[in-house]
Amino acid sequence: MSIIHNAEKSTITLHTDNTSYQIKIGPFGLLQHTYYGPHMEEDAEYCVMYRDRGFTLTPYDAERKRWLSAELMPLEYPCEAAGDFRAPALSIRRKDGILIGDMRYESHRIEKGKYSLEGLPAVYDDTEEAETLTVVLKEKNTNIRAVLQYGVLPHRDVITRTARIENGTEDDIVLTHAASACLDLVSGEWDVINFHGRHAGERNVSRTPSGHRETVVGTRRGASSHHQNPFVILAEKDAGELHGQCYGMSFLYSGSFSCSVSGDAYGGTRMVMGIQPDNFDYVLTPGESFQAPETALAYSCEGLTKLSQIYHKLISQNICRGPWKNRRRPVLINNWEATGPDFTAEKILHIAEKAASLGVEMLVLDDGWFGKRDDDFAGLGDWYVNTEKLGCTMGELAASIRDLGMKFGIWIEPEMVNEDSDLYRAHPDWALQVPGIEPALGRSQLVLDFSREEVVDYILDHICKVLDESKADYVKMDMNRPIFDVYNALSAYQSRGKIMYKYILGVYRFMEKLLERYPDLLLEGCASGGGRFDAGMLYYCPQIWCSDNTDGIDRIRIQYGTSFGYPVRTMGAHVSRVPNYDTRRIVPFDTRAVIAMEGTFGYELDLNTLSEEEARQVPVQIETFKKYWDLLHNGLYYRLTDVTHNTKEAAWMMVAEDRSEALLNIVVLDVSGNRPNRFVKLAGLDASASYKDEANGAVYSGAALMSVGIPLPKVPHEKYHWMRDLGEYESVQIHFTKVTD
Ligand code: DGJ
């Protein structure tokens, strides 16, 4: 049993293999949070410090018990009313604008299996070991309920949380905030680690003390965004990669979100994750309910690496679905950086022929094959093949690609429409825009109202015709602008939060129906690169294009930041041309391949433009990727250098779960003449074992590799007979195997 109810002590304890989470039904039914940390069996009620503190409020029914202020207790799902002035998880307004919400425990139940959520992504369990706790809170003065659900995945060390708010009153109510999870910690000094960025510069790591204020990480852009990622860590002040306590919250949602961390007046810290509350105003009519998306929580007392590894396993095995979840993905070539939308079938075949001859396994036809799509200004929404431009049908092009022995995939951007399109001319009201107000344009396009089922169905229907014709093996689903003008032409009451929530549900419905119809399809997510890289999308797409920035060195930093919350196998990564189109940087061809192998691995350039020497390397790179694929995508991932602060070298490694082998990757970022010796410390090996460098037979002690490190290898000098240091941006990949005898 993972969930234990102790009726005598009024506690409910959720156990995973290494952690415990405890809830207490406190005085007057206030639902308290007493503990989340290493596995323990006892009652942790002592963590609730009852004291009469000045200038606080007590519930009316507590009468003279002035020590019973909600503001002084760690709470499970605090509501903005009833005396807790800290950041709320729930805020409810009556129709007349009055704030209400005195939520008290009503009932609970424990069930076998992990709950699922209709229309929303959710962690699943196929081992039948998971359990679900449901706790119902009732508003003291009305018939409003908050149904809290907790999923326990014992072997993953993960606890999921969500909440459903039910309006059982006779009137409309407005939810101004309805978060998915709250975590109240009573002690400790914590840092907030969040992943911020911009288009072509996603998921930079920021670490700042939470302190005595509210820190809010979030976005209002309608997508989980390039700017902030819905994965946030609370790490003990001194916690590092391999030591210290840390908590993670990963939000399984792809729209605007907010994660607030605040230090209270008495030494506590509160973390709240949920849909962005700004302009949320979700109207619930009588009998209606709102289902908050899910948050996956994890705790590690062994530092950030362990926390990341928990999420890597969870996402790989309990969020990603479908036949591609554990299968090696085809090495692909995408034409976008080679051609943009300027192509014909002949040009594409020229790229494909060369790629096929070098061992590439799939061609992906990017933006530009449909409608009048010759640039950014037209065509989105017209999902019929431009045969005139291609010079053949999509079926014919796909067949020619297959004749080369390759799979075939296409790009789509279903949520968008250009004003210059047949679709917009026929259905202008299908675009999100407010009557009488000129809508904001993003990349010269408008957003279709995916909160409307008929819009989703129409687009799906047209795209399916192309997929049927081409029998596509793969789809890259893009989304290239933020969302601002929110208006539903069919709705009498414009509730921004509701329309945007239903919009995201529409996106999920689109992907679910696509996968139902084509169960073997490999779907790759994309939003101008990594603008919607979140655990919600990964429920549908086992991989997401990590960034439009394909500069090798920038990519190291982007993939480093992404690795905190997401596994390597989900990161779309390609080798592209140099000088890089954006940075003009020249990174050696083999280094670009090493970096792309920290991802799904593919190419995004015309391989006909390579030198003979580079072309010879392509099959070798592909073979290397295939050889190490299991280790790369299933091994435990270790960040060996902090590339936010260490600009000397980037190093990361993958270690087999049984520690029998490891793949070390090093890229030199900075060089100097006659440089001092430089070592990289390895991690995750068996300290009592020896490891052999498979390339040169050198044997090292696991303990030494992890404490002293390995010196940066030297390579033969091109001109002289000696060995030289690695140069700027050069790299090495070292495969170690454990010496058994
Ligand atoms: C943005 C994507 O991130 C790119 O890879 C490419 O597909 C373009 N869109 C096409 O418009």
Side-chain angles (χ1 to χ4, degrees):
M1 288 283 283
S2 304
I3 306 178
I4 313 276
H5 174 222
N6 184 328
E8 195 192 326
K9 301 208 181 274
S10 297
T11 56
I12 308 171
T13 312
L14 284 51
H15 294 294
T16 69
D17 289 355
N18 297 296
T19 71
S20 298
Y21 182 112
Q22 196 175 75
I23 299 166
K24 186 165 186 96
I25 302 150
F28 301 98
L30 295 166
L31 197 69
Q32 300 172 335
H33 173 79
T34 50
Y35 181 80
Y36 188 22
H39 198 282
M40 64 111 209
E41 304 285 343
E42 292 75 10
D43 177 2
E45 190 195 3
Y46 79 94
C47 294
V48 186
M49 311 287 285
Y50 293 109
R51 282 177 66 177
D52 177 3
R53 302 257 193 198
F55 224 73
T56 56
L57 301 180
T58 46
Y60 194 75
D61 40 358
E63 297 172 343
R64 292 181 174 207
K65 300 185 186 72
R66 296 205 311 225
W67 38 268
L68 260 175
S69 173
E71 188 178 2
L72 304 173
M73 296 172 189
L75 293 172
E76 274 299 304
Y77 199 63
C79 188
E80 187 178 20
D84 186 354
F85 291 96
R86 294 170 296 178
L90 179 64
S91 293
I92 309 170
R93 286 184 198 281
R94 285 193 326 208
K95 209 164 95 180
D96 59 7
I98 301 290
L99 200 59
I100 51 169
D102 188 350
M103 309 305 290
R104 309 284 180 99
Y105 169 86
E106 185 179 61
S107 64
H108 80 267
R109 58 178 193 278
I110 297 167
E111 287 155 301
K112 280 262 160 237
K114 160 77 177 54
Y115 65 85
S116 55
L117 300 175
E118 207 189 319
L120 279 164
V123 166
Y124 64 88
D125 165 67
D126 38 27
T127 62
E128 294 180 11
E129 277 155 356
E131 290 183 11
T132 296
L133 166 69
T134 305
V135 182
V136 181
L137 303 179
K138 182 185 168 303
E139 208 280 321
K140 190 162 171 278
N141 305 294
T142 65
N143 245 343
I144 299 170
R145 286 183 173 74
V147 181
L148 311 183
Q149 285 191 293
Y150 300 76
V152 183
L153 277 80
H155 303 326
R156 294 276 177 259
D157 279 323
V158 166
I159 290 172
T160 66
R161 287 196 57 179
T162 182
R164 188 173 65 253
I165 315 303
E166 299 175 346
N167 179 10
T169 73
E170 304 289 308
D171 282 314
D172 288 0
I173 57 170
V174 182
L175 304 179
T176 53
H177 193 179
S180 299
C182 172
L183 181 63
D184 268 350
L185 303 175
V186 295
S187 67
E189 280 189 67
W190 302 95
D191 289 343
V192 180
I193 303 182
N194 61 296
F195 304 91
H196 66 98
R198 57 196 178 276
H199 173 237
E202 297 89 337
R203 291 173 291 286
N204 299 285
V205 183
S206 156
R207 180 170 183 161
T208 42
S210 78
H212 293 278
R213 62 175 177 277
E214 186 175 358
T215 304
V216 182
V217 174
T219 172
R220 303 178 189 85
R221 310 180 78 88
S224 50
S225 88
H226 306 83
H227 300 74
Q228 293 290 350
N229 192 267
F231 174 65
V232 181
I233 299 173
L234 211 52
E236 223 174 7
K237 193 164 166 268
D238 301 321
E241 283 290 359
L242 300 173
H243 64 89
Q245 303 194 81
C246 40
Y247 297 90
M249 280 199 189
S250 183
F251 194 35
L252 281 78
Y253 189 65
S254 311
S256 302
F257 75 95
S258 154
C259 179
S260 134
V261 179
S262 42
D264 71 21
Y266 305 106
T269 302
R270 170 172 288 175
M271 184 177 190
V272 180
M273 177 70 97
I275 286 186
Q276 169 62 252
D278 288 357
N279 299 316
F280 181 55
D281 292 342
Y282 195 107
V283 178
L284 279 184
T285 56
E288 216 184 345
S289 61
F290 165 74
Q291 176 63 60
E294 183 170 84
T295 294
L297 285 83
Y299 165 82
S300 153
C301 56
E302 293 168 46
L304 297 162
T305 298
K306 177 77 189 169
L307 191 77
S308 295
Q309 289 172 355
I310 292 173
Y311 281 104
H312 294 172
K313 252 287 169 354
L314 181 81
I315 288 173
S316 309
Q317 300 308 325
N318 303 85
I319 293 183
C320 292
R321 300 175 295 164
W324 288 102
K325 152 174 160 169
N326 288 324
R327 228 192 264 168
R328 183 178 69 72
R329 321 279 161 73
V331 175
L332 68 81
I333 181 142
N334 177 303
N335 69 299
W336 182 249
E337 280 199 34
T339 66
D342 177 19
F343 55 77
T344 58
E346 198 186 339
K347 209 174 195 180
I348 296 299
L349 275 171
H350 182 59
I351 293 174
E353 276 158 10
K354 183 71 176 178
S357 75
L358 297 175
V360 176
E361 299 166 312
M362 178 163 76
L363 179 121
V364 175
L365 182 63
D366 212 282
D367 188 358
W369 55 262
F370 51 90
K372 298 213 166 39
R373 184 71 168 173
D374 294 323
D375 53 36
D376 287 356
F377 299 102
L380 287 172
D382 294 341
W383 298 108
Y384 50 84
V385 182
N386 188 339
T387 46
E388 207 180 310
K389 171 175 175 175
L390 275 185
C392 64
T393 67
M394 191 64 99
E396 285 163 348
L397 174 60
S400 308
I401 300 287
R402 289 212 175 82
D403 286 347
L404 297 170
M406 294 172 110
K407 292 182 187 295
F408 179 68
I410 60 167
W411 175 98
I412 59 171
E413 193 179 1
E415 297 152 74
M416 298 294 156
V417 66
N418 284 115
E419 285 172 288
D420 187 0
S421 67
D422 294 342
L423 180 71
Y424 185 77
R425 283 183 280 273
H427 297 286
D429 66 312
W430 282 13
L432 283 171
Q433 52 185 327
V434 183
I437 299 178
E438 285 177 345
L441 296 171
R443 208 194 190 198
S444 306
Q445 61 200 51
L446 295 174
V447 185
L448 287 170
D449 187 353
F450 260 41
S451 73
R452 289 169 62 177
E453 284 198 4
E454 72 276 26
V455 177
V456 173
D457 290 344
Y458 175 94
I459 297 292
L460 184 68
D461 201 41
H462 281 69
I463 287 176
C464 285
K465 287 195 180 110
V466 183
L467 298 181
D468 288 343
E469 186 196 344
S470 61
K471 301 190 179 51
D473 304 286
Y474 160 109
V475 163
K476 174 177 173 188
M477 179 166 144
D478 206 346
M479 188 279 193
N480 283 307
R481 58 155 289 176
I483 305 176
F484 177 72
D485 302 278
V486 175
Y487 178 87
N488 180 318
L490 300 182
S491 170
Y493 196 106
Q494 297 303 320
S495 172
R496 188 182 176 93
K498 199 171 199 164
I499 297 169
M500 281 316 298
Y501 172 78
K502 293 203 183 281
Y503 175 94
I504 295 293
L505 261 59
V507 175
Y508 292 150
R509 189 168 154 269
F510 176 90
M511 292 188 284
E512 191 68 47
K513 291 198 133 208
L514 194 67
L515 294 169
E516 265 168 31
R517 184 158 167 164
Y518 308 102
D520 287 331
L521 188 76
L522 172 57
L523 189 59
E524 175 154 355
C526 177
S528 293
R532 219 162 45 180
F533 205 117
D534 57 70
M537 284 306 283
L538 290 167
Y539 188 66
Y540 306 91
C541 321
Q543 60 192 59
I544 299 175
W545 182 227
C546 204
S547 177
D548 272 349
N549 189 337
T550 53
D551 172 283
I553 303 307
D554 279 5
R555 260 306 179 108
I556 289 178
R557 298 201 177 90
I558 293 167
Q559 292 170 194
Y560 167 82
T562 308
S563 78
F564 280 82
Y566 306 94
V568 160
R569 52 156 79 179
T570 63
M571 300 183 206
H574 302 163
V575 175
S576 69
R577 68 168 179 250
V578 289
N580 180 265
Y581 76 94
D582 192 359
T583 62
R584 312 308 297 165
R585 188 164 18 213
I586 297 178
V587 176
F589 193 50
D590 54 350
T591 298
R592 279 176 275 152
V594 167
I595 296 161
M597 284 183 208
E598 193 199 13
T600 54
F601 193 66
Y603 294 86
E604 184 137 352
L605 74 167
D606 182 351
L607 297 175
N608 292 294
T609 61
L610 296 182
S611 67
E612 271 182 32
E613 172 47 32
E614 285 173 333
R616 264 196 297 277
Q617 284 184 45
V618 174
V620 180
Q621 293 171 351
I622 294 175
E623 276 323 301
T624 306
F625 174 67
K626 288 183 184 169
K627 180 171 162 203
Y628 296 135
W629 163 75
D630 189 25
L631 196 49
L632 286 162
H633 285 195
N634 296 318
L636 295 171
Y637 183 86
Y638 290 86
R639 291 174 291 268
L640 303 179
T641 55
D642 167 0
V643 294
T644 310
H645 300 104
N646 174 356
T647 49
K648 283 195 160 60
E649 57 264 324
W652 63 96
M653 70 189 285
M654 288 84 172
V655 183
E657 284 197 38
D658 63 2
R659 297 189 287 180
S660 60
E661 57 172 334
L663 187 69
L664 169 67
N665 306 271
I666 303 174
V667 179
V668 174
L669 300 178
D670 183 43
V671 291
S672 60
N674 191 21
R675 77 186 73 144
N677 297 329
R678 275 157 59 171
F679 287 76
V680 170
K681 280 188 196 172
L682 276 56
L685 301 174
D686 179 350
S688 61
S690 307
Y691 285 86
K692 184 161 92 181
D693 175 339
E694 282 298 314
N696 61 16
V699 173
Y700 302 88
S701 134
L705 286 175
M706 293 192 289
S707 57
V708 182
I710 188 162
L712 250 54
K714 291 186 185 295
V715 289
H717 197 290
E718 288 74 6
K719 200 159 165 207
Y720 306 110
H721 62 276
W722 60 70
M723 302 290 279
R724 64 162 174 83
D725 285 324
L726 287 170
E728 189 179 44
Y729 307 145
E730 287 187 334
S731 59
V732 280
Q733 230 172 10
I734 304 177
H735 182 224
F736 290 103
T737 50
K738 192 171 178 174
V739 180
T740 41
D741 270 315

